[in-house]
Amino acid sequence: MAQPKGTVVLAYSGGLDTSCILVWLREQGYDVVAYLANIGQKEDFEAARKKALALGAKKVYIEDVSREFVEEFIWPAVQANALYEDRYLLGTALARPCIARRLVEIAQREGAQHVAHGATGKGNDQVRFELSCYALCPKIKVVAPWRLPEFYQRFPGRRELMDYAKKHGIPVPVTPQTPWSMDENLMHISYEAGILENPKVIDHGSHGAGGVSCIRSLIGNFTAGPSVCVPVKVTNTGDGATRSSALELFVYLNDIAGKHGVGRIDIVENRFVGMKSRGIYETPAGTILYHAHLDIEAFTMDREVRKIKQGLSLKFSELVYNGFWHSPECEFLRECIGRSQEPVEGTVRLSVFKGHVYILGRESPRSLYNEELVSMNVQGDYEPADATGFININSLRLKEYHRLQSKVTVKQDE
Protein backbone atom coordinates (compact mmCIF):
# COMPACT_ATOMS: atom_id res chain seq x y z
CA MET A 1 0.00 0.00 0.00
CA ALA A 2 1.34 3.46 -0.92
CA GLN A 3 1.81 6.42 1.42
CA PRO A 4 -1.45 7.96 2.68
CA LYS A 5 -2.71 10.66 0.32
CA GLY A 6 -5.83 11.83 2.12
CA THR A 7 -9.50 11.43 1.29
CA VAL A 8 -10.95 11.31 -2.20
CA VAL A 9 -14.66 11.38 -3.03
CA LEU A 10 -15.30 9.09 -5.98
CA ALA A 11 -18.24 9.51 -8.35
CA TYR A 12 -19.21 5.87 -8.12
CA SER A 13 -21.61 3.94 -10.32
CA GLY A 14 -20.96 0.37 -9.22
CA GLY A 15 -19.98 -0.64 -12.77
CA LEU A 16 -16.73 -2.11 -14.03
CA ASP A 17 -14.68 1.10 -14.23
CA THR A 18 -15.53 2.78 -10.94
CA SER A 19 -15.47 -0.48 -8.99
CA CYS A 20 -11.93 -1.15 -10.17
CA ILE A 21 -10.98 2.49 -9.66
CA LEU A 22 -12.20 2.36 -6.07
CA VAL A 23 -9.84 -0.53 -5.32
CA TRP A 24 -7.01 1.07 -7.32
CA LEU A 25 -7.35 4.38 -5.42
CA ARG A 26 -6.99 2.51 -2.17
CA GLU A 27 -3.83 0.87 -3.56
CA GLN A 28 -2.50 4.38 -4.22
CA GLY A 29 -3.02 5.38 -0.60
CA TYR A 30 -6.34 7.23 -0.71
CA ASP A 31 -9.19 6.87 1.76
CA VAL A 32 -12.18 6.54 -0.56
CA VAL A 33 -15.63 7.98 0.02
CA ALA A 34 -18.02 6.68 -2.65
CA TYR A 35 -20.84 8.85 -3.92
CA LEU A 36 -23.64 7.32 -5.97
CA ALA A 37 -26.25 9.70 -7.36
CA ASN A 38 -29.76 8.41 -7.93
CA ILE A 39 -30.84 10.29 -11.05
CA GLY A 40 -33.49 7.80 -12.09
CA GLN A 41 -31.42 4.82 -13.16
CA LYS A 42 -32.74 1.33 -12.45
CA GLU A 43 -30.34 0.23 -9.76
CA ASP A 44 -30.23 -1.83 -6.58
CA PHE A 45 -28.80 0.98 -4.49
CA GLU A 46 -28.52 -1.06 -1.32
CA ALA A 47 -26.52 -3.71 -3.17
CA ALA A 48 -24.30 -0.95 -4.58
CA ARG A 49 -23.71 0.38 -1.07
CA LYS A 50 -22.72 -3.04 0.24
CA LYS A 51 -20.44 -3.59 -2.75
CA ALA A 52 -18.62 -0.28 -2.26
CA LEU A 53 -18.08 -0.98 1.43
CA ALA A 54 -16.86 -4.51 0.64
CA LEU A 55 -14.35 -3.03 -1.82
CA GLY A 56 -12.94 -0.81 0.91
CA ALA A 57 -14.83 2.49 0.80
CA LYS A 58 -14.72 4.10 4.23
CA LYS A 59 -18.11 5.71 3.63
CA VAL A 60 -20.83 5.60 0.99
CA TYR A 61 -23.24 8.38 0.09
CA ILE A 62 -26.29 7.43 -1.96
CA GLU A 63 -28.50 10.42 -2.58
CA ASP A 64 -31.67 10.81 -4.63
CA VAL A 65 -31.28 13.92 -6.79
CA SER A 66 -33.97 12.95 -9.30
CA ARG A 67 -36.32 15.82 -8.53
CA GLU A 68 -33.65 18.51 -8.73
CA PHE A 69 -32.30 16.89 -11.89
CA VAL A 70 -35.70 17.35 -13.55
CA GLU A 71 -36.53 20.78 -12.15
CA GLU A 72 -33.10 22.45 -12.28
CA PHE A 73 -31.45 20.81 -15.29
CA ILE A 74 -33.99 19.12 -17.57
CA TRP A 75 -36.59 21.89 -17.43
CA PRO A 76 -34.14 24.61 -18.58
CA ALA A 77 -33.18 22.32 -21.47
CA VAL A 78 -36.86 21.90 -22.39
CA GLN A 79 -37.30 25.68 -22.29
CA ALA A 80 -34.30 26.05 -24.59
CA ASN A 81 -35.44 23.31 -26.99
CA ALA A 82 -31.86 22.16 -26.50
CA LEU A 83 -30.62 19.87 -29.25
CA TYR A 84 -26.94 19.21 -29.98
CA GLU A 85 -26.09 18.82 -33.66
CA ASP A 86 -29.80 18.74 -34.54
CA ARG A 87 -30.44 15.36 -32.90
CA TYR A 88 -29.02 14.76 -29.41
CA LEU A 89 -31.20 15.84 -26.46
CA LEU A 90 -28.22 16.00 -24.06
CA GLY A 91 -29.26 13.31 -21.57
CA THR A 92 -25.76 12.58 -20.27
CA ALA A 93 -24.53 16.16 -20.62
CA LEU A 94 -27.35 17.44 -18.38
CA ALA A 95 -26.74 14.82 -15.70
CA ARG A 96 -23.03 15.48 -15.20
CA PRO A 97 -23.24 19.01 -13.70
CA CYS A 98 -26.02 17.79 -11.42
CA ILE A 99 -23.84 14.93 -10.15
CA ALA A 100 -20.72 17.11 -9.93
CA ARG A 101 -22.51 19.68 -7.78
CA ARG A 102 -23.27 17.09 -5.10
CA LEU A 103 -19.81 15.53 -5.51
CA VAL A 104 -18.21 18.84 -4.54
CA GLU A 105 -20.65 19.39 -1.67
CA ILE A 106 -19.80 15.98 -0.21
CA ALA A 107 -16.06 16.61 -0.62
CA GLN A 108 -16.45 19.85 1.33
CA ARG A 109 -18.53 18.10 3.97
CA GLU A 110 -15.91 15.36 4.34
CA GLY A 111 -12.98 17.76 4.29
CA ALA A 112 -11.62 15.98 1.21
CA GLN A 113 -9.16 17.77 -1.04
CA HIS A 114 -9.71 15.34 -3.91
CA VAL A 115 -12.56 14.10 -6.07
CA ALA A 116 -12.30 11.33 -8.65
CA HIS A 117 -14.33 9.98 -11.56
CA GLY A 118 -14.25 7.06 -13.99
CA ALA A 119 -14.58 9.04 -17.22
CA THR A 120 -12.16 8.05 -19.97
CA GLY A 121 -9.48 10.30 -21.40
CA LYS A 122 -11.14 10.31 -24.80
CA GLY A 123 -14.67 11.35 -23.88
CA ASN A 124 -16.76 14.37 -22.98
CA ASP A 125 -17.58 13.39 -19.41
CA GLN A 126 -14.09 14.08 -18.06
CA VAL A 127 -14.50 17.67 -19.25
CA ARG A 128 -18.03 17.99 -17.90
CA PHE A 129 -17.19 16.63 -14.46
CA GLU A 130 -14.00 18.62 -14.03
CA LEU A 131 -15.16 21.97 -15.38
CA SER A 132 -18.13 21.75 -13.02
CA CYS A 133 -15.95 20.81 -10.05
CA TYR A 134 -13.43 23.57 -10.70
CA ALA A 135 -16.18 26.16 -11.20
CA LEU A 136 -17.89 25.21 -7.94
CA CYS A 137 -14.73 24.66 -5.88
CA PRO A 138 -11.62 26.17 -7.51
CA LYS A 139 -9.23 24.59 -4.97
CA ILE A 140 -10.46 21.03 -5.50
CA LYS A 141 -8.01 18.51 -6.93
CA VAL A 142 -9.29 15.99 -9.45
CA VAL A 143 -7.95 12.45 -9.75
CA ALA A 144 -8.71 11.13 -13.24
CA PRO A 145 -7.26 7.59 -13.40
CA TRP A 146 -7.97 7.11 -17.11
CA ARG A 147 -5.57 10.00 -17.82
CA LEU A 148 -2.78 8.74 -15.58
CA PRO A 149 -0.13 6.67 -17.46
CA GLU A 150 0.30 4.34 -14.48
CA PHE A 151 -3.38 3.46 -14.80
CA TYR A 152 -4.08 3.37 -18.54
CA GLN A 153 -0.82 1.58 -19.35
CA ARG A 154 -1.74 -1.08 -16.81
CA PHE A 155 -5.30 -1.27 -18.14
CA PRO A 156 -5.14 -0.62 -21.91
CA GLY A 157 -8.59 -2.13 -22.42
CA ARG A 158 -11.65 -3.66 -20.81
CA ARG A 159 -10.16 -7.14 -20.89
CA GLU A 160 -7.35 -6.11 -18.53
CA LEU A 161 -9.83 -4.31 -16.31
CA MET A 162 -12.00 -7.42 -16.08
CA ASP A 163 -8.92 -9.51 -15.23
CA TYR A 164 -8.12 -7.04 -12.43
CA ALA A 165 -11.69 -7.29 -11.18
CA LYS A 166 -11.50 -11.08 -11.13
CA LYS A 167 -8.17 -11.01 -9.29
CA HIS A 168 -9.54 -8.70 -6.59
CA GLY A 169 -12.93 -10.37 -6.28
CA ILE A 170 -14.81 -7.42 -7.75
CA PRO A 171 -18.24 -8.45 -9.09
CA VAL A 172 -19.02 -6.54 -12.29
CA PRO A 173 -22.06 -6.62 -14.62
CA VAL A 174 -19.99 -6.32 -17.81
CA THR A 175 -18.83 -9.48 -19.54
CA PRO A 176 -16.92 -10.07 -22.78
CA GLN A 177 -20.25 -11.11 -24.35
CA THR A 178 -21.88 -7.73 -23.62
CA PRO A 179 -19.00 -5.27 -23.92
CA TRP A 180 -20.87 -2.05 -24.62
CA SER A 181 -21.08 0.77 -22.12
CA MET A 182 -24.48 1.92 -20.85
CA ASP A 183 -25.40 5.11 -19.02
CA GLU A 184 -28.91 5.55 -17.67
CA ASN A 185 -30.72 8.42 -16.01
CA LEU A 186 -34.22 9.92 -16.02
CA MET A 187 -33.55 11.78 -19.25
CA HIS A 188 -32.17 8.93 -21.31
CA ILE A 189 -30.28 5.68 -21.75
CA SER A 190 -27.14 5.72 -23.88
CA TYR A 191 -25.18 2.85 -25.38
CA GLU A 192 -21.69 3.13 -26.80
CA ALA A 193 -18.27 1.43 -27.01
CA GLY A 194 -17.55 -2.22 -27.67
CA ILE A 195 -19.21 -3.60 -30.79
CA LEU A 196 -20.99 -0.27 -31.28
CA GLU A 197 -17.69 1.48 -32.02
CA ASN A 198 -17.93 0.15 -35.57
CA PRO A 199 -20.43 2.56 -37.19
CA LYS A 200 -21.38 -0.12 -39.75
CA VAL A 201 -22.64 -2.52 -37.09
CA ILE A 202 -26.43 -2.56 -37.20
CA ASP A 203 -28.12 -2.21 -33.84
CA HIS A 204 -31.05 -4.59 -33.73
CA GLY A 205 -32.93 -2.89 -30.93
CA SER A 206 -32.07 -5.43 -28.27
CA HIS A 207 -31.18 -2.84 -25.65
CA GLY A 208 -34.27 -1.06 -24.46
CA ALA A 209 -37.67 0.20 -25.51
CA GLY A 210 -39.50 -1.30 -28.44
CA GLY A 211 -42.35 0.28 -30.35
CA VAL A 212 -45.93 -0.95 -30.31
CA SER A 213 -48.54 -0.24 -32.93
CA CYS A 214 -51.42 1.28 -30.97
CA ILE A 215 -51.94 5.05 -30.70
CA ARG A 216 -51.70 6.76 -27.30
CA SER A 217 -53.12 10.27 -27.04
CA LEU A 218 -51.87 12.73 -24.44
CA ILE A 219 -52.52 16.32 -23.40
CA GLY A 220 -49.58 18.35 -22.06
CA ASN A 221 -49.96 21.66 -20.22
CA PHE A 222 -47.32 24.36 -19.94
CA THR A 223 -47.63 27.28 -17.55
CA ALA A 224 -45.99 30.69 -17.88
CA GLY A 225 -44.66 33.20 -15.41
CA PRO A 226 -41.61 35.37 -14.72
CA SER A 227 -38.71 33.42 -16.24
CA VAL A 228 -40.74 30.22 -16.01
CA CYS A 229 -42.28 27.93 -18.57
CA VAL A 230 -42.37 24.33 -17.48
CA PRO A 231 -44.64 21.34 -18.00
CA VAL A 232 -47.21 21.30 -15.21
CA LYS A 233 -49.58 18.48 -16.15
CA VAL A 234 -49.97 15.57 -18.53
CA THR A 235 -53.26 13.75 -19.08
CA ASN A 236 -53.77 10.44 -20.84
CA THR A 237 -56.97 10.84 -22.83
CA GLY A 238 -57.37 7.09 -22.99
CA ASP A 239 -57.72 6.33 -19.30
CA GLY A 240 -57.89 9.84 -17.85
CA ALA A 241 -54.71 9.39 -15.83
CA THR A 242 -53.12 12.72 -14.84
CA ARG A 243 -49.66 13.50 -13.51
CA SER A 244 -48.74 16.93 -12.14
CA SER A 245 -45.52 16.96 -10.13
CA ALA A 246 -42.32 17.41 -12.15
CA LEU A 247 -40.76 14.05 -11.30
CA GLU A 248 -43.99 12.07 -11.50
CA LEU A 249 -44.89 13.67 -14.83
CA PHE A 250 -41.49 12.94 -16.34
CA VAL A 251 -41.41 9.31 -15.16
CA TYR A 252 -44.91 8.76 -16.56
CA LEU A 253 -43.98 10.17 -19.97
CA ASN A 254 -40.89 7.96 -20.02
CA ASP A 255 -43.08 4.92 -19.43
CA ILE A 256 -45.68 5.84 -22.07
CA ALA A 257 -43.24 7.00 -24.74
CA GLY A 258 -40.76 4.22 -24.04
CA LYS A 259 -43.40 1.57 -24.80
CA HIS A 260 -43.88 3.22 -28.18
CA GLY A 261 -40.19 3.38 -29.02
CA VAL A 262 -40.22 7.19 -28.99
CA GLY A 263 -36.91 9.03 -28.84
CA ARG A 264 -34.57 6.30 -30.06
CA ILE A 265 -31.71 7.45 -32.29
CA ASP A 266 -28.45 6.03 -33.64
CA ILE A 267 -26.00 8.84 -34.41
CA VAL A 268 -22.38 9.79 -34.96
CA GLU A 269 -21.61 13.02 -33.09
CA ASN A 270 -18.65 15.36 -32.64
CA ARG A 271 -17.12 15.13 -29.19
CA PHE A 272 -15.72 18.29 -27.62
CA VAL A 273 -12.23 16.75 -27.48
CA GLY A 274 -12.17 16.57 -31.28
CA MET A 275 -13.16 13.07 -32.36
CA LYS A 276 -16.37 11.61 -33.72
CA SER A 277 -18.20 8.93 -31.76
CA ARG A 278 -21.16 6.66 -32.36
CA GLY A 279 -23.92 6.54 -29.77
CA ILE A 280 -27.37 5.03 -29.44
CA TYR A 281 -29.77 7.05 -27.30
CA GLU A 282 -33.27 6.52 -25.94
CA THR A 283 -34.91 9.74 -24.70
CA PRO A 284 -38.67 9.06 -24.48
CA ALA A 285 -40.07 11.80 -22.22
CA GLY A 286 -37.51 14.32 -23.44
CA THR A 287 -38.60 13.78 -27.04
CA ILE A 288 -42.29 14.27 -26.26
CA LEU A 289 -41.58 17.45 -24.29
CA TYR A 290 -39.27 18.79 -26.99
CA HIS A 291 -42.03 18.56 -29.61
CA ALA A 292 -44.77 19.79 -27.27
CA HIS A 293 -42.81 22.81 -26.08
CA LEU A 294 -41.62 23.67 -29.59
CA ASP A 295 -45.23 23.74 -30.73
CA ILE A 296 -46.65 25.90 -27.95
CA GLU A 297 -43.66 28.24 -28.22
CA ALA A 298 -44.27 28.81 -31.95
CA PHE A 299 -47.92 29.49 -31.10
CA THR A 300 -47.27 32.13 -28.45
CA MET A 301 -43.88 33.72 -29.12
CA ASP A 302 -43.24 36.72 -31.36
CA ARG A 303 -41.51 35.77 -34.62
CA GLU A 304 -38.43 37.96 -34.19
CA VAL A 305 -37.98 37.05 -30.52
CA ARG A 306 -38.13 33.40 -31.52
CA LYS A 307 -35.41 33.89 -34.14
CA ILE A 308 -33.10 35.33 -31.50
CA LYS A 309 -34.07 32.61 -29.04
CA GLN A 310 -33.22 29.92 -31.60
CA GLY A 311 -29.69 31.27 -31.78
CA LEU A 312 -29.46 31.29 -27.98
CA SER A 313 -30.71 27.69 -27.89
CA LEU A 314 -28.01 26.60 -30.31
CA LYS A 315 -25.30 28.17 -28.14
CA PHE A 316 -26.88 26.79 -24.95
CA SER A 317 -26.85 23.25 -26.38
CA GLU A 318 -23.21 23.58 -27.34
CA LEU A 319 -22.22 24.89 -23.91
CA VAL A 320 -24.09 22.12 -22.08
CA TYR A 321 -22.64 19.43 -24.33
CA ASN A 322 -19.12 20.77 -23.80
CA GLY A 323 -19.43 20.89 -20.01
CA PHE A 324 -19.95 24.61 -19.35
CA TRP A 325 -23.21 24.43 -17.38
CA HIS A 326 -21.59 26.16 -14.38
CA SER A 327 -20.12 29.01 -16.43
CA PRO A 328 -21.05 32.71 -16.50
CA GLU A 329 -22.04 32.52 -20.16
CA CYS A 330 -24.36 29.55 -19.60
CA GLU A 331 -25.93 31.23 -16.57
CA PHE A 332 -26.52 34.31 -18.73
CA LEU A 333 -28.12 32.22 -21.48
CA ARG A 334 -30.43 30.47 -19.02
CA GLU A 335 -31.59 33.87 -17.79
CA CYS A 336 -32.18 35.12 -21.36
CA ILE A 337 -34.00 31.96 -22.41
CA GLY A 338 -36.07 32.05 -19.24
CA ARG A 339 -37.08 35.63 -19.98
CA SER A 340 -38.23 34.59 -23.45
CA GLN A 341 -40.59 32.03 -21.91
CA GLU A 342 -42.90 34.47 -20.13
CA PRO A 343 -45.64 34.28 -22.81
CA VAL A 344 -45.20 30.56 -23.46
CA GLU A 345 -48.29 29.04 -21.88
CA GLY A 346 -50.91 26.61 -23.12
CA THR A 347 -52.03 23.08 -23.81
CA VAL A 348 -50.77 20.75 -26.52
CA ARG A 349 -52.56 17.61 -27.59
CA LEU A 350 -50.38 14.93 -29.15
CA SER A 351 -50.17 11.23 -29.86
CA VAL A 352 -47.34 8.73 -29.92
CA PHE A 353 -47.35 6.01 -32.55
CA LYS A 354 -44.61 3.62 -33.70
CA GLY A 355 -41.73 5.74 -32.46
CA HIS A 356 -43.14 9.08 -33.59
CA VAL A 357 -44.72 12.06 -31.83
CA TYR A 358 -47.63 13.70 -33.64
CA ILE A 359 -48.97 17.12 -32.64
CA LEU A 360 -52.78 17.09 -32.92
CA GLY A 361 -53.76 20.54 -31.70
CA ARG A 362 -53.01 23.33 -29.29
CA GLU A 363 -54.64 26.23 -27.40
CA SER A 364 -53.34 29.08 -25.28
CA PRO A 365 -54.60 32.23 -23.55
CA ARG A 366 -51.40 33.91 -24.82
CA SER A 367 -51.80 32.81 -28.45
CA LEU A 368 -50.64 35.17 -31.20
CA TYR A 369 -52.71 33.23 -33.73
CA ASN A 370 -55.57 35.35 -35.12
CA GLU A 371 -58.02 33.04 -36.86
CA GLU A 372 -59.96 35.87 -38.53
CA LEU A 373 -56.79 37.55 -39.74
CA VAL A 374 -55.41 34.40 -41.35
CA SER A 375 -58.72 33.04 -42.67
CA MET A 376 -59.14 32.51 -46.42
CA ASN A 377 -62.88 33.08 -45.99
CA VAL A 378 -62.89 36.39 -44.11
CA GLN A 379 -60.94 39.51 -45.06
CA GLY A 380 -60.62 40.66 -41.45
CA ASP A 381 -58.43 43.62 -40.51
CA TYR A 382 -56.19 43.22 -43.55
CA GLU A 383 -56.08 44.94 -46.94
CA PRO A 384 -54.83 42.52 -49.65
CA ALA A 385 -53.85 45.44 -51.92
CA ASP A 386 -51.17 46.38 -49.37
CA ALA A 387 -49.27 43.21 -50.29
CA THR A 388 -48.43 44.73 -53.69
CA GLY A 389 -46.22 47.37 -52.13
CA PHE A 390 -44.73 44.82 -49.73
CA ILE A 391 -43.75 42.58 -52.66
CA ASN A 392 -42.42 45.49 -54.72
CA ILE A 393 -40.16 46.71 -51.93
CA ASN A 394 -38.82 43.21 -51.26
CA SER A 395 -38.24 42.54 -54.96
CA LEU A 396 -36.18 45.72 -55.38
CA ARG A 397 -33.01 44.10 -54.07
CA LEU A 398 -33.50 41.03 -56.29
CA LYS A 399 -34.12 43.14 -59.39
CA GLU A 400 -31.02 45.24 -58.80
CA TYR A 401 -28.81 42.21 -58.16
CA HIS A 402 -29.86 40.46 -61.36
CA ARG A 403 -29.75 43.67 -63.40
CA LEU A 404 -26.11 44.19 -62.40
CA GLN A 405 -25.30 40.51 -62.95
CA SER A 406 -26.70 40.80 -66.48
CA LYS A 407 -24.42 43.80 -67.18
CA VAL A 408 -21.36 41.87 -65.97
CA THR A 409 -22.27 38.87 -68.12
CA VAL A 410 -22.74 41.03 -71.26
CA LYS A 411 -19.41 42.80 -70.67
CA GLN A 412 -17.58 39.48 -70.28
CA ASP A 413 -19.09 38.23 -73.53
CA GLU A 414 -17.92 41.27 -75.52
Side-chain angles (χ1 to χ4, degrees):
M1 187 69 73
Q3 289 294 319
K5 295 181 179 177
T7 300
V8 59
V9 181
L10 171 65
Y12 177 74
S13 70
L16 174 65
D17 290 27
T18 56
S19 294
C20 291
I21 285 172
L22 194 162
V23 175
W24 183 84
L25 287 169
R26 293 188 64 248
E27 286 182 349
Q28 307 310 302
Y30 291 99
D31 290 326
V32 181
V33 173
Y35 165 54
L36 176 56
N38 176 0
I39 47 176
Q41 70 271 37
K42 295 179 179 64
E43 177 106 32
D44 186 337
F45 292 101
E46 189 53 40
R49 181 193 303 277
K50 291 178 180 177
K51 180 180 177 180
L53 291 171
L55 295 178
K58 74 170 188 178
K59 189 181 289 187
V60 180
Y61 284 87
I62 298 177
E63 298 191 354
D64 188 342
V65 294
S66 299
R67 184 185 57 79
E68 62 193 77
F69 179 42
V70 174
E71 295 180 349
E72 299 177 34
F73 294 87
I74 294 177
W75 276 181
V78 171
Q79 289 181 341
N81 300 322
L83 202 61
Y84 180 71
E85 294 189 336
D86 304 317
R87 291 190 285 178
Y88 174 43
L89 285 164
L90 300 168
T92 300
L94 289 166
R96 296 313 183 228
C98 179
I99 296 171
R101 185 171 68 180
R102 295 295 296 131
L103 186 69
V104 167
E105 289 173 3
I106 290 169
Q108 292 172 329
R109 187 187 309 171
E110 290 291 323
Q113 292 183 315
H114 303 84
V115 294
H117 60 77
T120 74
K122 290 185 177 181
N124 296 307
D125 280 346
Q126 58 179 340
V127 183
R128 295 163 179 162
F129 273 125
E130 295 181 39
L131 289 181
S132 291
C133 288
Y134 290 136
L136 297 169
C137 185
K139 294 183 179 180
I140 203 74
K141 297 176 182 177
V142 178
V143 181
W146 281 115
R147 295 206 308 270
L148 298 174
E150 60 267 33
F151 187 89
Y152 66 71
Q153 289 174 2
R154 183 177 177 183
F155 306 110
R158 289 219 182 281
R159 176 70 65 177
E160 291 77 13
L161 212 56
M162 283 189 269
D163 290 342
Y164 179 81
K166 184 176 180 181
K167 178 182 177 181
H168 289 83
I170 303 171
V172 292
V174 178
T175 68
Q177 287 74 41
T178 57
W180 55 68
S181 174
M182 185 183 85
D183 178 68
E184 180 184 12
N185 60 50
L186 272 171
M187 185 66 166
H188 85 171
I189 303 176
S190 67
Y191 305 90
E192 60 182 3
I195 61 171
L196 301 177
E197 288 177 350
N198 182 344
K200 295 188 296 184
V201 169
I202 297 174
D203 170 58
H204 293 287
S206 59
H207 303 309
V212 295
S213 60
C214 60
I215 296 177
R216 187 63 63 92
S217 182
L218 302 166
I219 298 176
N221 295 83
F222 289 82
T223 188
S227 298
V228 174
C229 170
V230 297
V232 293
K233 185 170 70 173
V234 61
T235 302
N236 187 326
T237 60
D239 58 16
T242 295
R243 303 291 188 276
S244 298
S245 74
L247 182 57
E248 189 181 39
L249 180 156
F250 203 83
V251 170
Y252 182 70
L253 285 179
N254 265 336
D255 180 54
I256 293 293
K259 291 176 180 177
H260 288 258
V262 168
R264 198 164 188 275
I265 60 172
D266 184 330
I267 66 171
V268 173
E269 70 200 57
N270 288 294
R271 286 180 179 169
F272 188 29
V273 294
M275 64 187 77
K276 292 184 184 291
S277 66
R278 190 261 189 106
I280 295 169
Y281 302 107
E282 296 176 8
T283 318
T287 300
I288 282 184
L289 291 174
Y290 173 83
H291 288 288
H293 179 265
L294 194 65
D295 188 78
I296 203 68
E297 186 176 82
F299 195 47
T300 57
M301 186 179 285
D302 174 77
R303 182 186 71 180
E304 297 304 314
V305 172
R306 189 163 183 266
K307 285 180 183 178
I308 295 172
K309 193 258 182 178
Q310 285 176 302
L312 298 179
S313 297
L314 189 65
K315 185 62 179 178
F316 173 84
S317 302
E318 180 184 287
L319 288 173
V320 173
Y321 184 87
N322 292 342
F324 289 93
W325 180 277
H326 296 290
S327 68
E329 63 270 34
C330 197
E331 290 177 4
F332 173 74
L333 279 179
R334 290 199 296 275
E335 287 292 325
C336 292
I337 290 169
R339 173 67 176 81
S340 77
Q341 298 298 289
E342 289 186 8
V344 183
E345 176 185 3
T347 300
V348 181
R349 183 165 184 151
L350 56 88
S351 67
V352 289
F353 180 58
K354 289 189 175 180
H356 296 281
V357 178
Y358 298 95
I359 302 296
L360 305 178
R362 78 287 296 156
E363 60 180 323
S364 169
R366 307 290 293 274
S367 167
L368 293 178
Y369 181 89
N370 185 330
E371 187 173 351
E372 182 181 272
L373 182 63
V374 79
S375 175
M376 301 296 288
N377 299 315
V378 180
Q379 184 170 319
D381 189 19
Y382 180 78
E383 181 54 61
D386 291 343
T388 302
F390 177 80
I391 295 168
N392 286 339
I393 291 296
N394 277 281
S395 69
L396 180 62
R397 175 179 59 89
L398 304 179
K399 291 175 181 177
E400 283 299 290
Y401 174 80
H402 288 286
R403 182 178 63 82
L404 292 171
Q405 285 296 104
S406 299
K407 283 185 177 182
V408 172
T409 302
V410 171
K411 189 172 182 179
Q412 288 175 342
D413 291 341
E414 290 179 349

